[in-house]
Amino acid sequence: MNNSTAGPTTAGSVRISPVQYDEKHLGVTVADADAVFNTTGPHALFSVSERVKAARISQQPASATVLAGGRQVLVEYEDDAAPSGEQSLYQLELYFEDGSQKTVSLYAKKTGVSVAASDLESYAPVIEELQDRAEEHGYETNPDALLDYISWVNERADLVEGWLSQKAAQLAALMLALAMNWLFWLLFLAGVALLAQYIRKKFGGLLDVLENDSGKSYRKRKDLAIQYEEQKQSAAEESLREVKAVGSDDVYWEDAFGARSPKDLADLAARGVHRRTTDGLAQEHAGVSDLDVDSIGTPDCWLNGVLRQNRISSPRHALSELKAACEHMETKWSMGHVYREARDECAQLIRELDKRRETPTVSGGSD
């Protein structure tokens, strides 16, 4: 956010570019040029086109330092700056020599220095399985012994592969010889005809029943159910930014409610938010059905998650994006039976907000 001045400011013209590293655990991607960045790792470095006088991050645990005479800004995170598997939002404030300032949004993840070690935890079951197999064959479980066991397994695999290759070559030669013999083909076709006749005679009635029984409708319903589950999975993997009405606002929905796809946002509108408790799932709110024109904008309104801190400009804009997500799921993924009611409720709330905005406030007293 730039401060207001009488004319052009340094903050209004500055260009901010991330400095990329070769390290896999460090990286910065641009979500919105000069305004929103996604960072990975314990620190991130940015170069600026205009000289920065000072920089700071008010949220803990993160800090900002001005380097290179004001041409670079280093952002450093503590290990717990972002929970495992999640993103945390930080606001980087830049101050320039002409008195203007600019605020940049940083979405940080994997800020812990032990990221690589935590990633290796997923391989623990593989190592344990390898140790158990080695012990079964008389090997120790130390690294050198496990390497010896792997070498022994590879040698056996090579021997088996060589034997199978030899047998496959012999079988191929035999099949080639048979294929060139017309008597073989005559006997083969005759055998197939006799087998088909036998099956038809013995099981023909059963085959007719199976072909025309009610199981056909059951199998069709099962196939449709499988297709529906595949559609839901594909919709869940789609990027929320694909919905044009949402666009770059996807970062606000993800930060506030964890909505990363059109399906997530449509589910937020249609079903609300549930939290897991010791007693099971507890519903925090029921989506747009919990909203009305009187409650929108109040402190208890759940929609405030994307309206605070200069995120989405207005409740009407937020409702329009919820409605667009529901329409996307209806038109692209044929799920109108799930999201049509939520879409209609969003449209009704938008109409009521517009009507309230257009209705002039009448004040007066008695004559």
Side-chain angles (χ1 to χ4, degrees):
M1 178 178 69
N2 301 337
N3 64 334
S4 299
T5 60
T9 64
T10 302
S13 60
V14 68
R15 293 294 175 263
I16 304 171
S17 304
V19 177
Q20 300 294 349
Y21 294 87
D22 293 332
E23 300 293 337
K24 293 183 178 179
H25 65 282
L26 292 174
V28 182
T29 59
V30 179
D32 189 2
D34 303 320
V36 182
F37 298 88
N38 298 317
T39 71
T40 301
H43 63 269
L45 184 64
F46 299 89
S47 64
V48 291
S49 61
E50 304 291 340
R51 193 178 303 277
V52 176
K53 181 179 180 182
R56 72 163 189 154
I57 295 178
S58 59
Q59 301 100 323
Q60 296 293 330
S63 61
T65 306
V66 177
L67 304 175
R71 293 296 185 177
Q72 290 185 337
V73 177
L74 175 65
V75 176
E76 297 178 285
Y77 304 103
E78 297 294 334
D79 288 355
D80 58 346
S84 177
E86 298 180 9
Q87 285 184 321
S88 292
L89 174 63
Y90 293 90
Q91 301 292 336
L92 171 62
E93 299 173 4
L94 304 177
Y95 299 87
F96 300 90
E97 294 179 348
D98 66 345
S100 62
Q101 70 179 75
K102 183 179 183 66
T103 300
V104 179
S105 297
L106 303 178
Y107 286 87
K109 66 178 181 180
K110 295 185 178 180
T111 56
V113 295
S114 58
V115 171
S118 63
D119 289 343
L120 289 177
E121 292 181 0
S122 60
Y123 292 93
V126 179
I127 297 174
E128 292 176 359
E129 177 69 17
L130 182 60
Q131 290 175 332
D132 293 340
R133 295 288 181 142
E135 284 183 330
E136 291 177 1
H137 292 87
Y139 287 83
E140 299 292 334
T141 57
N142 58 70
D144 292 336
L146 290 179
L147 289 175
D148 293 338
Y149 169 70
I150 293 174
S151 298
W152 176 73
V153 171
N154 289 336
E155 290 175 358
R156 292 190 63 188
D158 291 339
L159 290 174
V160 172
E161 183 181 1
W163 181 82
L164 290 176
S165 298
Q166 180 182 6
K167 294 301 181 182
Q170 294 175 354
L171 179 61
L174 177 60
M175 294 301 296
L176 179 61
L178 291 175
M180 297 177 65
N181 189 331
W182 65 268
L183 182 60
F184 164 78
W185 286 109
L186 180 62
L187 294 175
F188 176 77
L189 294 176
V192 170
L194 290 174
L195 179 61
Q197 184 178 4
Y198 171 78
I199 293 175
R200 185 64 187 177
K201 181 178 180 180
K202 189 172 182 62
F203 304 104
L206 179 61
L207 292 174
D208 291 337
V209 171
L210 291 176
E211 185 177 359
N212 299 291
D213 69 354
S214 59
K216 291 177 64 177
S217 60
Y218 167 77
R219 290 191 295 271
K220 185 174 181 180
R221 290 195 303 270
K222 186 176 181 181
D223 290 340
L224 291 174
I226 293 174
Q227 293 177 9
Y228 179 70
E229 291 299 324
E230 290 175 349
Q231 282 187 320
K232 288 201 300 183
Q233 181 63 29
S234 299
E237 295 172 355
E238 188 179 21
S239 172
L240 180 55
R241 190 164 291 205
E242 296 297 323
V243 181
K244 293 182 179 180
V246 177
S248 60
D249 285 350
D250 63 329
V251 295
Y252 304 133
W253 293 108
E254 181 177 353
D255 182 63
F257 303 105
R260 296 182 174 88
S261 67
K263 181 180 183 300
D264 292 342
L265 191 55
D267 285 342
L268 177 67
R271 299 166 181 166
V273 171
H274 295 76
R275 299 293 184 191
R276 188 172 297 279
T277 65
T278 55
D279 298 328
L281 288 178
Q283 188 176 51
E284 291 189 358
H285 63 80
V288 293
S289 62
D290 276 355
L291 300 176
D292 56 58
V293 292
D294 294 322
S295 65
I296 291 177
T298 62
D300 295 332
C301 177
W302 65 263
L303 204 58
N304 286 341
V306 292
L307 299 177
R308 58 184 175 84
Q309 298 181 358
N310 296 324
R311 295 184 172 188
I312 295 179
S313 59
S314 66
R316 188 189 190 284
H317 193 171
L319 288 169
S320 297
E321 294 184 0
L322 289 171
K323 176 174 173 286
C326 293
E327 291 174 343
H328 182 86
M329 296 301 296
E330 288 184 67
T331 57
K332 183 172 182 179
W333 300 106
S334 302
M335 295 186 185
H337 60 291
V338 180
Y339 302 106
R340 185 178 298 109
E341 183 177 353
R343 183 253 294 164
D344 291 341
E345 289 177 344
C346 288
Q348 179 62 30
L349 284 170
I350 291 172
R351 287 193 294 269
E352 291 177 3
L353 287 174
D354 291 342
K355 183 177 180 181
R356 172 169 291 189
R357 184 176 59 185
E358 294 170 0
T359 301
T361 301
V362 179
S363 61
S366 58
D367 293 340

